[in-house]
Every structure is written in structure tokens, then in C-alpha cells.
């Protein structure tokens, strides 16, 4: 899909990958609703983008996991720019580390990393099918294909996000709905270092696992790759190409891959102790 003149919503747009995607979209001629739980951040990013590309964005404080808030985001987009063509379900949280994650930890991770996507699709997809066009971009993670060492909540919810994106693509792909799924390894944002900053051994191992598995990319580099993939209407977006090889290894010998991951985790935990 050519994004010029299209209307986009980007959740988690107040920082990191979301802010970079919103900026790249505006640079490419789209109009963007920058949504973030942190209203101040959403407004600041929107003001910065408008400074460079006047009149291209509005910033909104919104919980991307809340149906009423998503409905309001869609209404703001329609009022300011027109019907939503692209929805970037990008807001995400790193979540709690191990089996001691509480019911509340699980509920929050499931809400932000998965149910936010489902709720947005429920509101948008029927209209897109009617119009014969629409684009849903899910920010999952390489952890949704390969598992995040050190975090059950993150691994499980990101796998579920990949599953939902696949399902959307299969179910609505022939009715004009495009779906892409972004699965990066390390990107230089606050979220990447949340595990390290948590002070927990498993959390620290989680950050170390991502940082040492490959290059840590800048959000702007990832945004450029995302926009190219949207232009090409490609489902799987892998800013770190080696993830494909790791995914193939997993598929070709699951037990061998699991043994390798356990070895890698032991080494990381030994380093962090
Ligand atoms: N940074 C990485 O290494 C990495 C790797 C793979 C995937 N991801 C994914 O990329 C996405 C963006 O993360 P990032 O790395 O840019 O992190 P970030 O922390 O820089 O940005 C995330 C933004 O989402 C916002 N947010 C959190 N919960 C929200 C909610 N309920 N509603 C609306 N906004 C909310 C935060 O306020 C923050 O501004 C996430 O889904 C994350 O899981 C990141």
C-alpha cells in the first residue's frame, strides 16, 4: 500500500519504534494519529512531527488496550483526516519475568500485547472489508517466533500476537485487508533495557539475551524497514534477517533448538550472577 495521503493510527507512538514509524509515515505523506498511554509523550512527538511536516499529525493520550479509547482514536482520525487506512498496533510492554508473575501481570501483558490488537481489529476490519481496503500492522517481536529468554509474559503474548496477525491475514487477506507482523530483535528503546533495569536475574538475562543475539538497531532504521514492507505488502517484517535462519532451525529440529536455547540461557545467567 502506498502510504502517501493515507490516514494512519500508531499506538505507542509517544516513544521508540512507534514515534519513529509515525515520523516516517508523515515524511512519506501520510496523516497520523499518534496515540500513547503517556499523553505528554504523544503530544510532544506529534508537535515535533508537525514542526517538520505541518498539519500531518495529532497526538492523543489513549490506552491502546481499551475498546472505548480505540473507538475514540478512530473518531479523532476521521474527524481530523478521514477514515483510518492503516492501524499500527505497536504499543507493548516487556512485562514480568518468571513464574512469579502475578495474575495482574499476566492480565496487563495480555491486554496490551494481544487483546489491544484483537479489539482494534474488531472495530476496523468490518469497515475495511466493506471498503475493500485496509492495513493492520502488528508489532510483535522475534520473541513471538523464538521465545524471549527470561520472560514468560512477553514470550507468550508475543507468540499470540503473531498468531492473531496470521489468522487475520488468512481470514481477510482475500477481502482487501493487508496484514504485516513486525518481529525485531533488539531495538534501542526504553523497553529493551527494562529487564536489565528491573534488577532481577531473569530480567537482566532477558535484556542481555537480546543485546548479545545481534545488532541493536535504531528505531528510525526499523521504521524505514516497516514502511518498505508496507509498500510491498509483505507479511513478516524482520529487521534482523538472521531471525529467519533461527526460525528455520527451530522448525527443522525443535529439540535441538530447545537444547541450544537452554545452553544460551545458562551462559547468560552465569554472566549476570
Ligand atoms: N525495543 C525492542 O528491542 C523491541 C524488540 C521487539 C519488539 N518490540 C516491540 O515494539 C513495540 C514498541 O516498543 P518500543 O521498543 O518502541 O518501546 P518504548 O518503551 O520505547 O515504547 C512503547 C510505548 O508504548 C506506550 N504504551 C505502553 N502501554 C500502552 C498502552 N496500553 N496504550 C498505549 N500506549 C502504551 C509507552 O508509553 C511507550 O511510549 C512493543 O510492542 C515492543 O514489544 C520492541
Amino acid at each position: 500500500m502506498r502510504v502517501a495521503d493515507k490516514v494512519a493510527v500508531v499506538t505507542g507512538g509517544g516513544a521508540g519504534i512507534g514515534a519513529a514509524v509515525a515520523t516516517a509515515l508523515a515524511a512519506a505523506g501520510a496523516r497520523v494519529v499518534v496515540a500513547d498511554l503517556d499523553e505528554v509523550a504523544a503530544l510532544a512527538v506529534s508537535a515535533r512531527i508537525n514542526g517538520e511536516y505541518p498539519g500531518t499529525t495529532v497526538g492523543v493520550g489513549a490506552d491502546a488496550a481499551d475498546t472505548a479509547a480505540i473507538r475514540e482514536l478512530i473518531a479523532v482520525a476521521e474527524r481530523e483526516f478521514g477514515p483510518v487506512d492503516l492501524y499500527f498496533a505497536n504499543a507493548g510492554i516487556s512485562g514480568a519475568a518468571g513464574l512469579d508473575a502475578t495474575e495482574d501481570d499476566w492480565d496487563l501483558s495480555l491486554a496490551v500485547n494481544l487483546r489491544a490488537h484483537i479489539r482494534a481489529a474488531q472495530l476496523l476490519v468490518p469497515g475495511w472489508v466493506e471498503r475493500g481496503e485496509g492495513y493492520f500492522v502488528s508489532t510483535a517481536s522475534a520473541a513471538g517466533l523464538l521465545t524471549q529468554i527470561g520472560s514468560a509474559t512477553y514470550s507468550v503474548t508475543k507468540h499470540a500476537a503473531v498468531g492473531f496477525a496470521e489468522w487475520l491475514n488468512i481470514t481477510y487477506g482475500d477481502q482487501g485487508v493487508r496484514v504485516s507482523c513486525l518481529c525485531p530483535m533488539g531495538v534501542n528503546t526504553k523497553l529493551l533495557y527494562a529487564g536489565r533495569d528491573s534488577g532481577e536475574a531473569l530480567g537482566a538475562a532477558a535484556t542481555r539475551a537480546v543485546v548479545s543475539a545481534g545488532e541493536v538497531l535504531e528505531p528510525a532504521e526499523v521504521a524505514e524497514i516497516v514502511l518498505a514492507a508496507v509498500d510491498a505488502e509483505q507479511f513478516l517484517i524482520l529487521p534482523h534477517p538472521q531471525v529467519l535462519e533461527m526460525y528455520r532451525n527451530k522448525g527443522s529440529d525443535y529439540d535441538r533448538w530447545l537444547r541450544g536455547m537452554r545452553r544460551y540461557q545458562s551462559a547468560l545467567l552465569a554472566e549476570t550472577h
Side-chain angles (χ1 to χ4, degrees), residues 25-155:
L25 282 165
R31 282 150 300 157
V32 191
V33 175
V34 177
D36 203 289
L37 195 56
D38 181 344
E39 184 179 17
V40 173
L43 294 175
V45 168
S46 165
R48 184 178 49 68
I49 298 174
N50 281 336
E52 218 172 326
Y53 309 101
T56 52
T57 70
V58 290
V60 181
D63 180 353
D66 179 75
T67 299
I70 302 168
R71 203 173 267 126
E72 179 56 21
L73 283 177
I74 295 168
V76 169
E78 286 178 352
R79 200 164 57 232
E80 298 286 331
F81 304 128
V84 175
D85 299 296
L86 299 111
Y87 193 92
F88 291 80
N90 170 79
I93 54 170
S94 55
L99 278 180
D100 50 356
T102 63
E103 292 287 325
D104 285 349
D105 291 330
W106 277 102
D107 285 347
L108 187 61
S109 286
L110 283 161
V112 182
N113 293 349
L114 172 65
R115 298 199 68 177
H117 298 205
I118 299 168
R119 289 170 178 151
Q122 283 171 330
L123 293 177
L124 286 162
V125 169
W128 286 346
V129 168
E130 220 168 274
R131 282 163 57 198
E133 191 175 71
Y135 210 131
F136 191 91
V137 183
S138 158
T139 302
S141 168
L145 301 170
L146 299 166
T147 284
Q148 173 66 60
I149 282 178
S151 181
T153 53
Y154 198 71
S155 299

Side-chain angles (χ1 to χ4, degrees), residues 168-179:
L168 262 187
N169 185 297
I170 292 165
T171 310
Y172 293 102
D174 290 337
Q175 296 173 72
V177 179
R178 304 285 172 257
V179 184

